[in-house]
Amino acid sequence: MKTYKTCDIRNLTIIGGSGSGKTTLCESMLFEGGVIGRRGSVAQENTVSDHTTVEHEYRNSVFSSVLYTEYNDRKLNIIDTPGMDDFVGNVIPALRVAATGIMVINATEGIEVGTEIATRQAKNFETPLIFTVNQLDRADIQWDTLISELNNGYQNHIALIQYPVETGENFHQVIDVLKMKMYQWGPEGGSPEILDIPDSELEKANELHNELVEKAAENDEKLMELFFDKGTLTEEEMREGIKKGMLARELYPLFCICAEKDMGVRRLMEFICNVAPAPNELKPKETVDGQQVFVDEKDKTSLFFFKTSVEPHVGEINYFKVNSGILKEGDELLNTTTDNKEKLSQLFVSAGKNRVRVNELHAGDIGATVKLKETKTDHTLCDKTENYKFRNLRFPKPRYTTAIKAVNESDDEKVAEILHKLSQEDPTWKMEYAKELKQLLVHGQGEYHINTLKWYFDHIYKVDIQLERPRISYRETITKPALANFRHKKQSGGSGQFGEVHLMIEPYIEGKEPRKSIKIGDKEIKLSLRHVEEHPLKWGGKLIYCNCIVGGVIDARFQPAILKGIMEKMEEGPLTGSYARDIIVYVYDGKMHPVDSNEISFKIAGRTAFSQAFKEADPKILEPIYKMQVFVPSDKMGDVMSDLQGRRAMILGMESSGNYEVINVQIPLKETYKYSTALSSLTNGRAMFKMEFDKYEKMQSEVQKKVLEEHEEVELV
């Protein structure tokens, strides 16, 4: 294929709700550009974009797909993205490298939760948007209602370029108010007839044309002056105003299509070629140290890697955008993330799993390469004389966590390797071994997201795994003082073991000074504070260790051993095995043996005495509390609120966001397991939520009792 200059490149990402027809639109765009000879379909599992086995089975996009087509001497790089919120990790990199987002609207559904999510992501990247209303051949379409909904949802920034003469089974004509022509298709779509607007539509078309002229003029003072002078603008002047409005995100052009029948796709592509911004018309990219890198072919070469995929018999395929300069096959560049050099021996442009080899790519273009040594997603390569390092992609925090383990222990290493490989394709699959919980955890965006990961284990890698409910990272503490003592004595011939420790514990409160005496029941104990140690704990809270020994009843050399024993028990609390925190320990008495006392004896004695005192000090479990925001359609508020209250959530307040209500709550982590699934069921997939850790809080007594019973059952097993 030919080499395209920066000004002739258009980078697009196709976004929108699941089932809106994004993949079908991509198929028609590739067909119109001659990249494919016939159009496939999602139902027949033969589209260029959805080419993986899991996507064929799900009948949905799971990963983003990098595509290209050529039209009117322009190269259109297209990234088709999944519509389900669970796969948002594929949408974010696509928006990072695209200059324009094509928002696909299902004509029968209007603004869906997928539309809202894609809109928020596009706003984060300040991405200009073009709206396409798809599936206009479906029954029961209320066009005026749909446009009103879009105008309300997007602050009247929608600019109608087209409207349908009819919708439903008679959809085959569109009035284009930019060109002031009618486009008419036969049953098979494709090339339209371009006709004069019939008299029956002329008044409406003129009215919408004038509205479009005004919206185009509003974005430029010179155009506004021209509009006041002439009362109208030429098509070229309107294009200029529309582009400026798009770049300012003050204007969203809207087109009418039926992607399945290839109706309206050519006109959309023509508009993209003429009006959508080229890569060098956007703001320069900023490096981590604040340097601005302009999309300029004359500058030094720099690349940003935004996606990695793994294919059988090929291995890793790395996708990148040329941020500056001209990249040539065989170039050796510096990886500023690893400080190693990489040679790009092969360059490709991609249409799904099909790749075409090229000799060079100019600034702004998107390409792929293979067989890189250390370069991964989020890495920067640049000319060896520069030190550019572009900002990392920022992904949303996980909203669903499960424990994972191999059915056969011999597969443990395989499981870790597979998880690492899959997380390269979708960075929102994250794994960690939780030492506290003694579980391998996998984090994702929802249950569907995690089930997709399991699908790979079952069908591709053939490794049996189990997904289990993750344990909760509780904390344990005490609420009142308590005394305990323990004598460790062991004699089995030769040197024995002996150590006796008397101690008292009480709750630690920030700013509280250790006390000098305490009375428990009829017993009053005076405490001689010889040495106080403050130990901030890595899991939060503190341990204050007070050596109150007088008269040498325990030698000073055994104090570290006692502390070590206590710390060991705090790392595995007496109630549930969770970390203990916020405790003051006073070691005030004990005994030792001149021969048999040693460090191990006092470590055991200190640990056991601490455990006994802990259980007598009215211990409490602290549970993690999370802040959660739930985005809910107004008509589902009641159901969602009732469900949250049943999960012990505290409602903090409500606010509006676009077409959704936002419920702000505090909720115990214990109650959020599979919440994404429950929320989807309650709202027919129209709601979403995000959450982050807030604090630890004492658990309600009845809940604590149940948790302890569950813990005992697990221990017995």
Side-chain angles (χ1 to χ4, degrees):
M1 65 177 292
K2 65 176 282 190
T3 299
Y4 286 87
K5 294 184 177 181
T6 303
C7 59
D8 296 326
I9 295 167
R10 302 290 182 269
N11 292 327
L12 316 168
T13 182
I14 313 297
I15 55 178
S18 181
S20 58
K22 299 185 298 299
T23 297
T24 306
L25 172 58
C26 291
E27 199 75 7
S28 289
M29 292 175 79
L30 268 61
F31 174 73
E32 288 291 351
V35 174
I36 56 176
R38 63 184 296 272
R39 290 180 290 124
S41 72
V42 173
Q44 293 176 3
E45 301 177 358
N46 61 353
T47 62
V48 175
S49 185
D50 289 355
H51 57 83
T52 65
T53 308
V54 65
E55 289 171 320
H56 292 164
E57 185 168 318
Y58 283 12
R59 299 289 174 89
N60 263 320
S61 298
V62 170
F63 300 109
S64 62
S65 191
V66 181
L67 316 165
Y68 80 94
T69 191
E70 299 171 280
Y71 198 79
N72 286 358
D73 293 323
R74 300 283 191 272
K75 183 189 177 195
L76 276 56
N77 292 311
I78 305 165
I79 306 178
D80 182 22
T81 64
M84 293 188 64
D85 190 29
D86 279 26
F87 304 110
V88 68
N90 287 269
V91 180
I92 289 170
L95 285 165
R96 169 71 173 267
V97 299
T100 305
I102 308 298
M103 180 74 77
V104 184
I105 303 291
N106 184 329
T108 59
E109 299 294 337
I111 297 177
E112 304 172 86
V113 66
T115 318
E116 288 273 354
I117 294 163
T119 299
R120 277 194 288 272
Q121 297 295 347
K123 183 179 179 181
N124 291 339
F125 289 95
E126 299 182 344
T127 306
L129 296 177
I130 297 172
F131 280 68
T132 59
V133 180
N134 190 26
Q135 302 174 22
L136 282 162
D137 59 334
R138 299 281 181 90
D140 301 323
I141 294 170
Q142 305 295 323
W143 174 259
D144 291 338
T145 302
L146 171 62
I147 297 304
S148 177
E149 180 186 355
L150 288 169
N151 274 318
N152 289 335
Y154 293 90
Q155 293 78 47
N156 290 315
H157 293 330
I158 300 294
L160 264 65
I161 305 295
Q162 298 175 337
Y163 71 90
V165 177
E166 289 187 71
T167 59
E169 61 181 14
N170 292 323
F171 173 74
H172 70 292
Q173 295 172 321
V174 161
I175 305 297
D176 191 305
V177 300
L178 175 56
K179 286 192 168 290
M180 287 304 285
K181 292 290 182 181
M182 183 172 77
Y183 288 72
Q184 180 173 287
W185 293 272
E188 300 301 318
S191 180
E193 286 186 83
I194 303 176
L195 308 170
D196 290 333
I197 297 173
D199 292 341
S200 58
E201 296 293 331
L202 203 53
E203 183 179 348
K204 181 177 180 180
N206 280 325
E207 183 181 338
L208 291 173
H209 175 80
N210 291 334
E211 287 182 14
L212 182 60
V213 169
E214 288 185 31
K215 287 190 174 183
E218 286 172 357
N219 299 289
D220 187 276
E221 288 185 11
K222 290 182 180 178
L223 291 177
M224 185 63 79
E225 289 175 8
L226 281 173
F227 174 63
F228 286 140
D229 289 342
K230 301 190 300 182
T232 187
L233 297 175
T234 65
E235 183 181 333
E236 188 62 37
E237 290 165 345
M238 289 173 70
R239 286 179 186 167
E240 183 184 344
I242 290 169
K243 177 183 284 191
K244 289 184 177 179
M246 287 174 61
L247 287 168
R249 287 178 50 82
E250 294 288 329
L251 189 151
Y252 304 138
L254 182 142
F255 286 80
C256 301
I257 64 170
C258 176
E260 188 176 19
K261 295 178 181 177
D262 192 13
M263 294 181 177
V265 177
R266 288 189 183 193
R267 174 67 181 111
L268 171 64
M269 292 171 71
E270 178 189 76
F271 180 85
I272 290 168
C273 292
N274 291 334
V275 180
N280 57 349
E281 294 179 294
L282 298 181
K283 294 177 181 177
K285 297 298 179 186
E286 196 169 271
T287 64
V288 292
D289 57 3
Q291 285 181 276
Q292 289 192 329
V293 179
F294 290 85
V295 182
D296 190 336
E297 295 157 315
K298 296 177 182 178
D299 281 354
K300 299 287 181 67
T301 304
S302 66
L303 317 178
F304 176 74
F305 285 78
F306 66 91
K307 175 180 167 65
T308 301
S309 66
V310 181
E311 287 188 13
H313 314 301
V314 179
E316 286 186 9
I317 302 167
N318 305 99
Y319 296 88
F320 59 84
K321 180 182 178 183
V322 184
N323 276 347
S324 61
I326 297 175
L327 175 67
K328 296 184 179 180
E329 192 171 80
D331 278 355
E332 188 175 73
L333 301 174
L334 174 68
N335 184 323
T336 54
T337 307
T338 65
D339 288 329
N340 292 319
K341 295 174 184 177
E342 287 275 19
K343 185 174 182 178
L344 288 85
S345 55
Q346 299 177 61
L347 301 179
F348 302 94
V349 293
S350 296
K353 64 180 178 180
N354 304 315
R355 286 175 291 279
V356 177
R357 197 159 175 176
V358 294
N359 294 320
E360 65 181 44
L361 295 167
H362 287 229
D365 214 340
I366 289 173
T369 190
V370 294
K371 298 179 181 177
L372 295 181
K373 295 176 184 177
E374 296 181 337
T375 301
K376 308 293 181 186
T377 299
D378 251 351
H379 286 194
T380 299
L381 294 188
C382 70
D383 187 278
K384 288 174 278 187
T385 62
E386 297 292 345
N387 193 34
Y388 298 145
K389 187 176 180 182
F390 296 108
R391 297 180 185 277
N392 287 350
L393 295 160
R394 296 179 63 184
F395 295 102
K397 293 179 180 178
R399 294 173 299 175
Y400 189 94
T401 299
T402 188
I404 182 173
K405 71 174 184 178
V407 173
N408 300 314
E409 288 185 11
S410 59
D411 288 332
D412 283 348
E413 284 190 19
K414 274 187 188 176
V415 169
E417 289 172 7
I418 293 166
L419 287 172
H420 176 71
K421 192 177 291 186
L422 289 171
S423 68
Q424 289 181 292
E425 295 201 61
D426 185 342
T428 55
W429 279 324
K430 297 181 181 295
M431 69 168 181
E432 65 164 323
Y433 180 75
K435 180 183 174 183
E436 177 187 359
L437 307 178
K438 300 179 178 65
Q439 287 181 313
L440 179 62
L441 301 180
V442 177
H443 307 286
Q445 294 299 308
E447 188 172 9
Y448 194 75
H449 193 215
I450 295 298
N451 287 341
T452 302
L453 182 141
K454 187 177 187 305
W455 184 96
Y456 271 87
F457 276 92
D458 293 343
H459 295 86
I460 304 299
Y461 298 104
K462 311 293 184 183
V463 174
D464 290 333
I465 60 168
Q466 289 179 342
L467 301 180
E468 300 176 340
R469 183 167 186 158
R471 302 182 188 113
I472 304 293
S473 297
Y474 294 123
R475 298 288 181 264
E476 299 179 13
T477 195
I478 57 174
T479 58
K480 69 177 186 181
L483 296 170
N485 61 78
F486 185 79
R487 173 182 292 179
H488 174 69
K489 184 177 182 181
K490 187 177 180 181
Q491 194 72 42
S492 56
S495 296
Q497 294 181 358
F498 183 90
E500 183 175 325
V501 172
H502 296 236
L503 56 75
M504 185 200 80
I505 63 175
E506 68 171 338
Y508 168 74
I509 301 169
E510 190 67 39
K512 181 177 181 178
E513 295 291 328
R515 62 175 72 210
K516 296 181 179 179
S517 68
I518 187 168
K519 185 174 183 180
I520 299 180
D522 296 330
K523 192 170 185 177
E524 184 170 356
I525 300 171
K526 290 188 177 181
L527 302 168
S528 300
L529 297 173
R530 300 188 63 191
H531 183 66
V532 177
E533 298 177 23
E534 183 177 297
H535 295 275
L537 304 171
K538 61 184 178 182
W539 53 85
K542 290 181 181 178
L543 167 69
I544 309 297
Y545 183 80
C546 303
N547 177 4
C548 304
I549 296 296
V550 292
V553 292
I554 299 177
D555 198 277
R557 62 193 171 98
F558 294 130
Q559 287 293 332
I562 298 170
L563 173 61
K564 186 175 181 181
I566 292 169
M567 191 65 80
E568 281 182 2
K569 200 60 194 172
M570 289 194 72
E571 287 192 26
E572 193 173 335
L575 298 182
T576 63
S578 304
Y579 293 131
R581 58 177 283 174
D582 295 330
I583 298 171
I584 304 177
V585 178
Y586 303 87
V587 178
Y588 64 88
D589 201 359
K591 291 182 181 178
M592 59 182 180
H593 189 277
V595 176
D596 294 342
S597 287
N598 52 29
E599 290 184 357
I600 188 68
S601 301
F602 277 98
K603 186 177 86 167
I604 293 171
R607 182 176 65 201
T608 309
F610 175 80
S611 182
Q612 290 176 353
F614 192 98
K615 292 174 181 177
E616 297 298 319
D618 194 11
K620 293 292 182 184
I621 296 174
L622 304 176
E623 62 179 334
I625 305 296
Y626 276 67
K627 284 182 180 178
M628 180 188 284
Q629 281 191 318
V630 190
F631 296 80
V632 191
S634 301
D635 59 322
K636 298 294 182 181
M637 279 282 286
D639 294 338
V640 173
M641 290 275 283
S642 297
D643 180 69
L644 285 169
Q645 288 165 347
R647 294 172 181 269
R648 297 193 287 132
M650 178 182 292
I651 310 296
L652 301 177
M654 287 169 283
E655 56 190 291
S656 295
S657 174
N659 295 320
Y660 285 77
E661 300 297 321
V662 183
I663 308 173
N664 295 297
V665 302
Q666 285 180 336
I667 187 168
L669 180 62
K670 185 179 188 297
E671 307 297 339
T672 65
Y673 183 58
K674 293 193 174 183
Y675 181 66
S676 61
T677 309
L679 183 65
S680 179
S681 177
L682 283 170
T683 64
N684 301 319
R686 295 168 58 206
M688 64 163 288
F689 73 99
K690 58 184 180 181
M691 53 188 281
E692 61 179 13
F693 174 75
D694 184 23
K695 59 183 177 181
Y696 275 94
E697 214 170 62
K698 288 178 184 175
M699 185 179 281
Q700 297 170 4
S701 298
E702 60 272 19
V703 180
Q704 177 168 316
K705 182 180 177 182
K706 187 176 179 180
V707 167
L708 292 176
E709 288 171 354
E710 290 171 354
H711 179 72
E712 287 173 9
E713 288 175 9
V714 172
E715 291 291 299
L716 289 172
V717 172

